Amino acid sequence: MRIRSHRGHHRAALIAALLSVAVAAGTWQASGDPGPGGGAQVRRGGVVRGGSGPVPGAEVTVYQAGTRFGERPRRLGGAVTDVGGRFRVAYAEPRDPGAVVYVTADAAPADGAAGGSGRGHAALPVRFAAVLTGAPEGPGRPLAVTERTTVAAGFALAQFTRDGGFAGPWPGPRNAASVAHNLADVTTGGISRFLAAPPNGGQTSTLRAFNSLADAVAACTARTRGCSELFAAARPAGGERPRDTLQAVADIARAPGTHPDRVFTLARSRPVYLPALDAAPAAWTLALRYEGNGHEVDGPGNIAFDRGGDAWIVNNYVYGADPHDPVCGGHELLRLRPDGRDAPGAPYAGGGLYGAGYGVAIGRYGDVWAANFGFQGQGCALDPDPLFRSVSQFDARGRTLSPPQGWRQGDYVQPQGALTGRDGTLWVANCGSRSVTRVPDGRPGRAHNIPVGGGALVKPFGVSLDGRGRAWVTGNGSDSVAVFAPDGSLERTVTGGGLRRPLGIASDSLGNQWVSNSGAVPVPCEDGTAQEMADAVGPAGGPPAAGASVTLVRPDGSTPAQPFTTGSLTLPWGIAVDGSDTVWVADFSGQRVTRLCGVRTRACPPGHRTGQPISPASAGYGFDGLVRNTGVQIDPSGNVWLTNNWELVPVQTNPGGHQLVLFVGLATPVRTPLIGPPRPL
C-alpha cells in the first residue's frame, strides 16, 4: 500500500471525520476507560500494516474482552496511526488474571471508500486485530497488527466474536488467545514459529490455507470492492452479512464450508502472502498438530478436558520413533495446555498405568482416571494379562492416587471407555469380560462388577451418561447398546436402528444418545488381536465400510428406522456433542471429522434436518495432517481435538500416530470437565 504523504493525511482526515460522526450518532462503543482499579500502566508502540504497506490514519484501540457472552468489551486506550502506520498507545493492564487484552485497528480500504452499512464502527470496514494476552514475546516488544494477526484472532476466538469484538466466560477466551499465538506472531505480524515448524509448517496444508485467508482479507484492505466480495462470501446461511474484516474471518471460521470457492477466488485476486493454496478447499478450516515435547505421544486414544481446559490424553504405546522397533504399553498420562505445551510436571507416570486405550475421564473434584486396556506392539516381551485388569487414578496435579498395580477392585478386564457422572460415580466398560464396572462416588474400594449375561453386551467399548444418571454402553461385538440405571441395574438392551460394530457414544443435552457405527472394526479384546483389526479395516481412504453410520437412540431406547449416513463417514470411531448439540464424528479411515445436525435443528443452518451433515457431505472437514483418529472431543474454546491414534499404514510393532490435532474455533464451546451430558460454556 504505497501512499504519498499528502494522500495519507487526506485518508487520516477522512477516517477521523467518519469516527466523529459515529460517536456523535451514539453508535457502537466500548463500555468505558479503565478505572482506578486497573493494573500496571503499559505503553506500547507498533505498526498497522496491510499486505502492501503501512496503514495510515487507522484508529487503534486496546480492549479488555467481555467476561460474559454479549458483554461489550472494555476500552483501555487508543491512538491513531501516522503516515507510516505507526502508533503508540498507553493503557492499564487488567487486574483479572483471566482477562483477555487485544487491539483493533479500524481503517477504510486503500482506495479511500469507507463503505459499510453505517451501523457502528462498520462505517470503516477494515478491522485488523491482534491478541496481546499470552504473547510469548512479552508486553515490552513492539506490535505489528496485520491481516495475518487478524486471521489468527478471528479463528482462535471465533466462538467469542460478535460485532467485531470478543466476549465470553473463562476459560474459553483466555485459552483461545494462546491458540492465536500458534498462528501469528504479533511482534512481526507474520506467521508464528509454531506454525512455521514441524509437525506443522510444510508438512501440512494449514500454513498455506492461513496465508490464503490473509490474502482474502488483504483484498478488502486494498479496495472497497474486495470488502463487498469478502463480506458476501463470509455471510453464513441465514445469518447477517459481516460489517468488518474481523467479523468476516470469524464467520468463515464458524461456517467454513459456506462459500469456499468465492473466498478462494478473492484470495487469488490479491496474492500477497506465500506460500498459499493453489486450489479451493472444501472448507476453510485451520488445523494444528500438537506433539507435546516431541517424544511422548504414541497412539493417543482419547482426551478429557479439565476445568481449565487442559487436555489429558491416554497413550496406547510407549513412545518410539521407529515403527519397526517393538513397543510395549504406554505408561504415561499426557497433559497439554490449550496451546500444545506440556503442563508443569507432565507427562505423569505410575499408578499401574499401562497401554490405556479409549478410557480417560475426569471426576467432579478434578481427579483423572485412565482405563488400562493393555495395548502393546507385536514383539513386546511383557505379558499383558496381569496389566490389563485395573484402572489408574491421578489427582488434578498429576500425582498418582492408585497403587503401583492400579485399582483392581471391580474385576476390570481390558477396560476401554470410562466416564464420570454428576454424582461422582465412575463407569467403566470392560471390553474383555462382557461387563461394566461401577465405582460409586469414585471410591475404588466400593467398585463392583456388573456382568451382562448371554450375548447382549459383547466387547463393551464406549460409555456415555444422560442427565438422569443412566449409563449407556456400546457393545462392539453384539451390535447393541446396554442401558444401566444409576444403581447399576440393567434397564434394557437396544438393538436395530443400524447399530453395527458400534464404538463411540455421546449424549446430547436432551438425553439422546449418538452412536458411531464403524461397520467393520472388531475391537481387539476377548480373543481378538490388533492384527485382525488391521486386516478388517483395510487401507486408509477406501470406500465407506458396510454399515458405517451414526445411530440416534432416544431417551426411551427407540431409534429411527435408518441410521444417518453421508459420504464422509467411512469408518466412524469417536463421537462428541458440542454446546449447541451438534454432533462430531471422528473417522478412522478418511482423515477427517464430520459434523451432523443434532436434534435441536435451530442450531443448524436453515433447512437442515436432524442427522444431516453440516460439514461438506462427501469430504467432511478434512486435514492432511490427520492419520487414523479415534477420539474426538470439544474444549471450552470451541476447538475440536482429535487423536492421531494409528498411522495410515500401521506397522503392528508400533502402529501409533504421534500427534493430537486441533481444529481451531470450529465448534460451540463446552463446559469442562465433561461430567454427564454436555453443557454449553
Side-chain angles (χ1 to χ4, degrees), residues 170-172 174-175 305-312 335-338 362 635-637 672-673:
W170 182 91
R174 179 82 183 194
N175 292 352
F305 296 103
D306 62 21
R307 180 174 177 270
D310 283 0
W312 297 74
R335 180 186 179 188
L336 300 184
R337 297 297 198 202
I362 297 181
D635 76 8
S637 298
T672 56

Side-chain angles (χ1 to χ4, degrees), residues 198-199 290-298 319-321 336 340 342 347 658-659:
Y290 289 169
E291 59 180 9
N293 61 23
H295 49 82
E296 62 182 347
V297 182
D298 199 321
Y319 177 81
L336 300 184
D342 274 337
H658 297 293
Q659 303 92 24

Side-chain angles (χ1 to χ4, degrees), residues 251-293:
D251 287 345
I252 292 171
R254 291 193 297 260
T258 305
H259 297 296
D261 292 337
R262 292 168 67 178
V263 175
F264 178 74
T265 299
L266 183 61
R268 287 295 289 265
S269 74
R270 191 71 180 173
V272 178
Y273 300 108
L274 297 174
L277 295 177
D278 56 11
W284 285 99
T285 57
L286 294 179
L288 296 170
R289 296 203 293 189
Y290 289 169
E291 59 180 9
N293 61 23

Side-chain angles (χ1 to χ4, degrees), residues 42-47 60 78-82 85-90 140 142:
V42 175
R43 293 184 181 276
R44 196 158 188 180
V47 63
V60 176
V80 176
T81 60
D82 64 15
R86 296 178 295 269
F87 66 90
R88 192 164 189 83
V89 64

Side-chain angles (χ1 to χ4, degrees), residues 254-601:
R254 291 193 297 260
T258 305
H259 297 296
D261 292 337
R262 292 168 67 178
V263 175
F264 178 74
T265 299
L266 183 61
R268 287 295 289 265
S269 74
R270 191 71 180 173
V272 178
Y273 300 108
L274 297 174
L277 295 177
D278 56 11
W284 285 99
T285 57
L286 294 179
L288 296 170
R289 296 203 293 189
Y290 289 169
E291 59 180 9
N293 61 23
H295 49 82
E296 62 182 347
V297 182
D298 199 321
N302 209 348
I303 307 164
F305 296 103
D306 62 21
R307 180 174 177 270
D310 283 0
W312 297 74
I313 303 123
V314 286
N315 242 0
N316 290 181
Y317 313 105
V318 169
Y319 177 81
D322 187 344
H324 299 282
D325 288 342
V327 292
C328 293
H331 54 69
E332 290 183 330
L333 178 65
L334 313 184
R335 180 186 179 188
L336 300 184
R337 297 297 198 202
D339 63 0
R341 294 179 296 114
D342 274 337
Y348 313 115
L353 188 62
Y354 188 80
Y358 199 66
V360 58
I362 297 181
R364 59 179 176 175
Y365 302 118
D367 51 323
V368 185
W369 299 85
N372 298 314
F373 179 79
F375 271 114
Q376 56 187 37
Q378 289 179 359
C380 173
L382 294 177
D383 178 6
D385 186 87
L387 303 172
F388 61 49
R389 299 179 182 275
S390 68
V391 295
S392 298
Q393 184 186 16
F394 298 78
D395 70 10
R397 297 174 62 184
R399 297 174 297 194
T400 55
L401 299 177
S402 50
Q405 301 302 314
W407 296 120
R408 293 176 173 262
Q409 302 93 325
D411 297 324
Y412 305 97
V413 181
Q414 294 180 295
Q416 282 281 21
L419 197 62
T420 300
R422 292 175 182 170
D423 63 353
T425 297
L426 174 71
W427 296 82
V428 181
N430 292 304
C431 192
S433 67
R434 307 188 184 192
S435 69
V436 172
T437 297
R438 177 176 176 268
V439 187
D441 201 32
R443 298 182 181 181
R446 298 179 59 193
H448 62 98
N449 187 273
I450 307 166
V452 179
L457 186 64
V458 180
K459 296 189 176 183
F461 188 81
V463 179
S464 70
L465 295 166
D466 63 21
R468 295 163 54 184
R470 296 184 299 174
W472 300 67
V473 182
T474 58
N476 172 259
S478 50
D479 296 339
S480 65
V481 174
V483 188
F484 297 87
D487 64 1
S489 58
L490 180 64
E491 281 193 0
R492 64 170 59 90
T493 301
V494 179
T495 57
L499 290 171
R500 185 167 180 179
R501 290 287 186 186
L503 292 167
I505 183 169
S507 177
D508 65 22
S509 66
L510 304 175
N512 300 290
Q513 306 300 312
W514 295 83
V515 183
S516 59
N517 298 303
S518 71
V521 176
V523 179
C525 56
E526 288 196 2
D527 55 354
T529 68
Q531 184 61 58
E532 290 172 348
M533 188 182 89
D535 293 341
V537 301
S549 63
V550 170
T551 294
L552 169 64
V553 184
R554 304 182 184 97
D556 63 0
S558 63
T559 68
Q562 298 295 325
F564 303 119
T565 59
T566 182
S568 61
L569 295 175
T570 58
L571 208 66
W573 193 299
I575 193 165
V577 177
D578 67 16
S580 60
D581 277 342
T582 63
V583 182
W584 298 82
V585 189
D587 201 273
F588 195 64
S589 177
Q591 293 181 276
R592 55 188 165 225
V593 62
T594 296
R595 187 183 193 183
L596 303 178
C597 181
V599 171
R600 290 200 296 128
T601 55

